[in-house]
Amino acid sequence: PGSSPCRSVIMGAKAVGVELNKKLLNLQAGEHLTPEFLKINPQHTIPTLVDNGFALWESRAILVYLAEKYGKTDSLYPKCPKKRALINQRLYFDMGTLYQSFANYYYPQLFAKAPADPEAFKKIEAAFDFLNTFLEGQTYVAGDSLTVADIAILATVSSFEVAKFDISKYANVNKWYENAKKVTPGWDENWAGCLE
């Protein structure tokens, strides 16, 4: 529940009407390093999806897979190459810039009791500046309707909120966030995980 990537998959599954059989792994106890789990996912990361024997990890890849396989329409991941390319760019932005800035700043404090790194904080601010620019005049992060990019970024931004990062300084992000909370299936479960 505390993992943004896991919560994004929960929201993505809800958006396409897939009921997940969730398994909670205790990472501190090394449950992701057992031979059984390593057979499914040798990279031993969460989330990992197993769909009728097909194993996939990396939350953004899982979101795309769920949308392509189970979406009743292509609205979450349209077939148009240009729309899809923009969604992919935003997914990669989330993975390599936005979520990464969260991990680089907060994880050392949470898991290693390290002091806050002001340089890492500047990277968070830069990531939010980029996102704010992407959202100029936009309701959604990649196009004119909710996509898997919104779902991934919503999970990440909600983690920033629960970590007390001031999202309100970024007007476009704040406006998008308030709307995304209302229109994204599974938001309630996402927020419950954040609070946990």
Side-chain angles (χ1 to χ4, degrees), residues 7-192:
R7 293 192 320 270
S8 73
V9 169
I10 290 168
M11 290 189 287
K14 221 172 244 321
V16 297
V18 167
E19 179 98 15
L20 295 174
N21 176 16
K22 294 176 250 167
K23 308 271 190 226
L24 189 62
L25 291 180
N26 183 338
L27 302 182
Q28 281 73 28
E31 289 180 4
H32 61 306
L33 301 172
T34 63
E36 298 79 28
F37 191 74
L38 291 172
K39 190 183 271 187
I40 295 167
N41 175 352
Q43 202 174 349
H44 57 79
T45 55
I46 60 165
T48 297
L49 176 78
V50 179
D51 183 18
N52 294 314
F54 173 67
L56 183 66
W57 51 95
E58 194 348 86
S59 62
R60 295 146 198 95
I62 294 170
L63 284 171
V64 168
Y65 172 77
L66 290 171
E68 288 188 314
K69 181 157 186 198
Y70 295 105
K72 287 153 189 64
T73 69
D74 74 345
S75 66
L76 289 173
Y77 196 62
K79 298 204 182 336
C80 167
K82 288 182 180 176
K83 288 180 180 179
R84 204 171 259 206
L86 186 61
I87 292 166
N88 290 339
Q89 186 279 321
R90 300 302 195 253
L91 289 170
Y92 299 143
F93 166 77
D94 179 49
M95 180 179 177
T97 304
L98 186 64
Y99 180 77
Q100 193 61 52
S101 74
F102 181 90
N104 290 346
Y105 181 72
Y106 290 105
Y107 287 176
Q109 295 174 65
L110 286 169
F111 301 120
K113 305 296 181 231
D117 177 354
E119 290 306 309
F121 190 79
K122 286 178 189 170
K123 297 227 166 125
I124 292 173
E125 293 174 316
F128 269 83
D129 281 335
F130 286 131
L131 183 56
N132 204 58
T133 299
F134 299 159
L135 285 162
E136 185 65 43
Q138 302 295 314
T139 304
Y140 298 97
V141 297
D144 54 10
S145 64
L146 184 77
T147 68
V148 293
D150 292 283
I151 294 170
I153 291 175
L154 176 61
T156 299
V157 170
S158 61
S159 291
F160 278 104
E161 181 187 5
V162 86
K164 306 279 190 251
F165 179 77
D166 185 6
I167 297 162
S168 71
K169 293 190 327 191
Y170 305 88
N172 297 333
V173 176
N174 199 49
K175 183 178 170 193
W176 164 82
Y177 184 53
E178 290 308 314
N179 180 63
K181 291 192 283 190
K182 293 179 195 144
V183 301
T184 306
W187 163 255
D188 292 343
E189 189 171 353
N190 175 74
W191 187 242

